[in-house]
């Protein structure tokens, strides 16, 4: 067991032991946790070409920015405006693409959203295109001209790793945001992979391949002093997968605080083992949690931000996404609350509600499928300045309260 894994196990035990809003109870041989701050902000800026105004805003507002590979001018501008911002390049692990922009005529573009160009694979290694049980290439439904690749093929893994690492080092990116470290092909296609007899066999082949692939990419980038952050999906279904796949520089959760409308109505993030693993990573304080809550209403926004605050640590960043394609920089008024530093671990009440206290405020999240009442600390107000002594928290909802006038000093915008 590596030193980091020993520390993570200690953090997992400490985080999991908390059942009420109280101190952390660290193991005697564990290092004290770093200062847990209210969630920082980040920008998944892959939806459109950023404007100069977008970049100036990002330099003031965000701690992490993800850009497309061809946005080198934006990368350099961000470096000039704020050298402390971590700027990652977007690269897809699992597809190659031949839409206009990824290809130019019958050639691959010089800078790609993927690791391997469509024509490079077509002409040099056509075996890297995954095939279905009928022997046909697999296009992703809803994403035209995205083609599933053989993520389990060691030659594909090595070629992807070599190409991306060379580009990251050459262009000066801080690292890679690797998309589509997914759990199942079914979100993109109903077909089965050639040589498999069931959905589970297909998905297991992909997961096993990605497990090995991530280790190869992560080791190589780490050796070059670069970050590696995969967008790993549905880890509430696979105990240990979040912990394993976030072991380099962290991981991205693109459906953070997502409501299980097809089940019990609670928040999926809190189901299975995922919540415990997220808490352990935040408590360890060594890697990034990049959290996205897709928001169609105020409840989703509250639940997402307050849940992120429960995970507050030095590298816990949250953003909302109100558009499906990440077209614009996003900001929530909740991020102006000015919660400050966490003064305790998040704790769970008998009702199932989780709470956490900060130097300048308090948050609560009800991840269950039933409404619950919770009593906040005395003397707090909502973000409009109204005193609050009791909160009737709806299912899958959250609340953010602050000390009077503390919200008047928001973080830089």
């Amino acid at each position: 067991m590596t030193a980091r894994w020993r520390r993570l196990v200690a953090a997992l035990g400490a985080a999991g032991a908390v059942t009420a809003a109280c101190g952390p109870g660290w193991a005697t041989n564990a290092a004290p946790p770093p200062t847990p701050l209210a969630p920082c902000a980040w920008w998944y800026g892959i939806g459109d070409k950023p404007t100069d105004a977008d970049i100036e805003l990002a330099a003031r507002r965000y701690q992490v920015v993800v850009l497309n590979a061809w946005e080198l001018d934006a990368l350099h501008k961000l470096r000039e405006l704020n050298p402390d911002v971590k700027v990652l390049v977007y690269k897809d692990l699992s597809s190659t693409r031949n839409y206009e922009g990824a290809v130019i005529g019958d050639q691959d573009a010089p800078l790609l959203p993927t690791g391997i160009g469509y024509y490079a694979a077509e002409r040099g290694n056509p075996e890297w295109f995954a095939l279905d049980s009928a022997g046909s290439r697999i296009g992703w439904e809803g994403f035209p001209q995205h083609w599933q690749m053989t993520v389990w093929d060691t030659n594909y893994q090595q070629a992807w790793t070599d190409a991306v690492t060379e580009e990251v080092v050459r262009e000066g990116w801080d690292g890679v945001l690797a998309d589509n470290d997914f759990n199942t092909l079914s979100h993109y296609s109903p077909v089965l992979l050639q040589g498999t007899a069931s959905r589970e066999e297909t998905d297991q082949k992909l997961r096993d391949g990605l497990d090995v692939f991530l280790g190869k990419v992560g080791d190589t980038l780490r050796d070059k002093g670069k970050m590696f952050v995969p967008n790993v999906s549905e880890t509430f279904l696979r105990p240990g997968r979040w912990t394993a796949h976030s072991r380099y520089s962290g991981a991205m959760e693109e459906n953070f605080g997502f409501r299980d409308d097809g089940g019990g109505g609670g928040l999926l993030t809190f189901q299975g083992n995922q919540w415990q693993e997220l808490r352990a990573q935040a408590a360890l304080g060594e890697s990034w949690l990049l959290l996205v809550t897709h928001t169609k209403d105020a409840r989703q926004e509250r639940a997402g931000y307050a849940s992120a605050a429960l995970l507050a640590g030095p590298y816990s960043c949250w953003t909302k996404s109100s558009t499906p394609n990440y077209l614009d920089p996003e900001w929530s008024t909740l991020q102006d609350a000015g919660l400050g530093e966490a003064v305790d671990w998040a704790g769970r009440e008998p009702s199932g509600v989780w709470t956490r206290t900060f130097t300048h405020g308090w948050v609560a999240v009800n991840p269950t499928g039933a409404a619950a009442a919770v009593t906040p600390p005395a003397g707090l107000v909502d973000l409009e300045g109204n005193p609050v002594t009791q909160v009737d928290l709806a299912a899958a909802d959250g609340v953010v309260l602050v000390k009077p006038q503390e919200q008047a000093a928001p973080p830089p915008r």
Side-chain angles (χ1 to χ4, degrees):
M1 182 181 288
T2 66
R4 183 180 186 277
W5 277 91
R6 285 193 294 271
R7 294 194 303 275
L8 189 57
V9 169
L12 189 63
V18 180
T19 56
C22 59
W26 279 80
T28 56
N29 62 343
T35 301
L37 305 173
C40 57
W42 74 291
W43 179 28
Y44 197 35
I46 65 169
D48 202 356
K49 183 176 181 60
T51 66
D52 288 343
D54 290 338
I55 296 303
E56 291 173 4
L57 187 66
R60 298 194 307 270
R61 177 182 283 179
Y62 301 115
Q63 282 67 52
V64 177
V65 172
V66 179
L67 296 172
N68 287 309
W70 49 90
E71 299 297 353
L72 296 178
D73 288 344
L75 165 65
H76 299 319
K77 183 67 172 177
L78 272 171
R79 286 271 187 272
E80 294 172 7
L81 294 172
N82 186 351
D84 293 331
V85 176
K86 298 297 184 185
V87 191
L88 307 181
V89 62
Y90 173 95
K91 292 290 182 179
D92 187 28
L93 291 163
S94 296
S95 75
T96 192
R97 305 172 185 183
N98 64 331
Y99 52 70
E100 187 62 31
V103 300
I104 302 172
D106 62 354
Q107 300 293 323
D108 293 319
L111 295 169
L112 299 168
T114 60
I116 301 297
Y118 176 87
Y119 285 113
E122 173 78 18
R123 293 164 182 163
N125 296 94
E127 72 277 10
W128 290 348
F129 287 89
L131 304 180
D132 64 18
S133 54
S136 299
R137 292 179 181 177
I138 301 170
W140 287 357
E141 294 182 358
F143 297 89
Q145 296 171 284
H146 292 53
W147 303 95
Q148 177 64 45
M149 302 300 274
T150 55
V151 295
W152 58 88
D153 185 297
T154 57
N155 292 323
Y156 171 78
Q157 294 171 356
Q158 192 63 57
W160 194 102
T161 300
D162 291 345
V164 170
T165 302
E166 190 278 331
E167 181 182 331
V168 168
V169 172
R170 182 186 73 236
E171 303 298 351
W173 298 96
D174 287 310
V176 176
L177 189 292
D179 200 11
N180 285 306
D181 176 14
F182 51 65
N183 175 61
T184 174
L185 182 61
S186 62
H187 294 308
Y188 290 135
S189 176
V191 305
L192 302 182
L193 291 173
Q194 190 175 64
T196 67
S198 67
R199 167 60 52 201
E200 181 51 36
E201 280 189 36
T202 282
D203 293 341
Q204 192 65 56
K205 185 170 186 175
L206 288 169
R207 287 194 298 269
D208 289 347
L210 286 164
D211 288 347
V212 175
F213 193 2
L214 261 70
K216 187 171 295 184
V217 179
D219 286 349
T220 303
L221 287 170
R222 180 187 57 198
D223 290 347
K224 296 294 184 180
K226 300 296 183 179
M227 297 169 58
F228 179 53
V229 181
N231 180 8
V232 57
S233 65
E234 297 183 312
T235 58
F236 64 92
L237 297 174
R238 307 285 166 185
R241 193 163 187 259
W242 177 275
T243 299
H245 286 223
S246 66
R247 68 186 183 272
Y248 291 100
S249 305
M252 172 182 172
E253 172 53 89
E254 195 172 6
N255 289 296
F256 182 73
F258 186 76
R259 186 169 186 174
D260 183 14
D261 288 325
L267 297 177
L268 283 176
T269 301
F270 292 76
Q271 296 180 17
N273 205 55
Q274 183 182 32
W275 184 245
Q276 188 178 9
E277 293 183 52
L278 290 168
R279 294 183 71 211
Q281 184 189 339
L284 191 58
E286 294 181 350
S287 56
W288 296 90
L289 284 82
L290 301 183
L291 310 171
V292 181
T293 300
H294 293 276
T295 57
K296 296 180 180 179
D297 56 41
R299 182 203 61 79
Q300 292 172 327
E301 192 168 329
R302 288 191 302 270
Y305 179 79
S307 296
L310 295 175
L311 296 174
Y315 303 110
S316 303
C317 290
W318 177 84
T319 187
K320 70 172 186 174
S321 175
S322 57
T323 62
N325 297 316
Y326 303 102
L327 293 178
D328 299 303
E330 296 268 15
W331 190 259
S332 167
T333 56
L334 295 168
Q335 289 169 297
D336 288 329
L339 287 172
E341 299 179 9
V343 300
D344 60 13
W345 289 102
R348 190 180 187 188
E349 300 194 351
S351 63
V353 172
W354 287 82
T355 67
R356 196 174 193 184
T357 303
F358 291 77
T359 51
H360 303 310
W362 176 85
V363 301
V365 177
N366 179 9
T368 75
V374 60
T375 302
L380 298 182
V381 300
D382 63 23
L383 298 189
E384 286 72 47
N386 303 306
V388 178
T389 58
Q390 182 78 13
V391 177
D392 294 316
L393 205 50
D397 203 349
V399 64
V400 178
L401 302 178
V402 294
K403 293 180 180 179
Q405 299 182 340
E406 294 290 356
Q407 71 270 34
R413 293 188 59 184

